[in-house]
């Protein structure tokens, strides 16, 4: 059996962070389960924890996008699905 997808994600986002200095991670209290805490350990100034305030996280991502950084938001899959179904602009 191979590595869990979330473990691979945690490793990949750290590698991308090393390669691209303008990548940030915005988290909604899922860092432990999706392994984005690895990014936080390596690049604490590029890791933003928004807690369970997903709407605020999207607003933060929009503001960061306007200022230049490439962001990755980690939302619950249910919220991701809702955003995709109701607003294709998030795709």
């Amino acid at each position: 059996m191979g590595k869990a997808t979330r473990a691979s994600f945690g490793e990949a986002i750290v590698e991308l962070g090393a390669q691209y200095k303008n990548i940030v991670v915005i988290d909604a209290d899922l860092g432990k389960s999706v392994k984005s805490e690895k990014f936080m350990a390596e690049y604490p100034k590029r890791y933003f924890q928004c807690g369970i305030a997903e709407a605020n996280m999207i607003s933060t991502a929009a503001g960061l996008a306007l200022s230049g950084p490439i962001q990755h938001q980690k939302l619950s899959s249910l919220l991701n699905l809702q955003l995709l179904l109701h607003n294709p602009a998030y795709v």
Side-chain angles (χ1 to χ4, degrees), residues 6-90:
R6 60 188 179 162
S8 296
F9 168 79
E11 293 169 7
I13 198 75
V14 169
E15 289 175 21
L16 288 169
Q19 188 174 358
Y20 301 99
K21 303 299 181 199
N22 60 338
I23 288 180
V24 300
V25 170
I26 306 169
D27 198 356
D29 265 353
L30 294 172
K32 188 172 185 174
S33 61
V34 298
K35 308 301 183 197
S36 61
E37 286 182 336
K38 293 178 181 184
F39 189 93
M40 180 185 65
E42 285 289 322
Y43 312 107
K45 291 184 179 184
R46 294 192 280 153
Y47 182 90
F48 300 93
Q49 177 57 258
C50 291
I52 57 170
E54 287 87 353
N56 291 341
M57 186 176 71
I58 295 299
S59 297
T60 300
L64 285 170
L66 290 172
S67 67
I70 299 169
Q71 71 280 341
H72 175 78
Q73 309 92 22
K74 203 61 200 152
L75 297 168
S76 68
S77 56
L78 179 60
L79 182 59
N80 272 335
L81 181 59
Q82 289 173 346
L83 288 174
L84 294 176
L85 290 174
H86 299 292
N87 190 348
Y90 284 112

